[in-house]
Amino acid sequence: MANKNGEANHWKGLALGVAGGVAGLTAMRYYWQAATAVRGGKDPRGETSDTGPHKLDDISLVGEHHKEGESSTASIGRILDKAVTGEDPGKEAKTVLSYGVHWGYGLTMAGLYGTLRGGAGIPDPLGGLAFGTALWLLGSEIALPLLGLSAGPTTIPKSGHMWALGAHFAYGLTTAATTQILYKLL
């Protein structure tokens, strides 16, 4: 990703990564719709493990910050909103905040991908898979439970972890492919 002087153009990579992130987040949304349809209308994100309690149900290092049935993005949105307004947001505001957190994080990470790997070449499936896997493992599986923004890993069945990994594969592969195509075209 170099300009005519041979210098890296990180701004181009950032912008194209964000554009790729829009496609990646859209792919993730359609993945969850398909997963729900395949499961007869049951969203895999709503499943809980009924084999507990287990030692890993709560691995937070800083206390529990999510509420029962609340996604990690909804938790973050609620916490940020309460820090600003001093009150818990209403149901509709929580939904908007959750989407805002999800899109903000997804586009930020996609911009980072574009900055670091924007000129990797077409296709970049290994980069996309590594990107999606890293976000799933380091974010969803480790950081969020440790920060108390989601329940521990044993609160959902193994199949739930695999469905989530699949969603991150869809996001990573689509973000990478779109970023690489746009980089090649522009």
Side-chain angles (χ1 to χ4, degrees), residues 26 29 49 57 59 63 69 72 76 82 84 102 107 112-113 115 122-123 131 149 163 166 180:
T26 302
R29 186 178 110 219
S49 178
D57 285 354
I59 60 171
S72 57
I76 295 167
K82 188 170 183 172
V84 172
H102 188 253
L107 295 179
L112 180 62
Y113 169 85
T115 301
I122 300 172
F131 175 55
L149 296 168
W163 283 109
Q180 298 311 322

Side-chain angles (χ1 to χ4, degrees), residues 15-25 107 110 171 174-179 182:
L16 298 180
V18 169
V22 170
L25 288 165
L107 295 179
Y171 167 78
T174 305
T175 298
T178 304
T179 302
L182 290 174

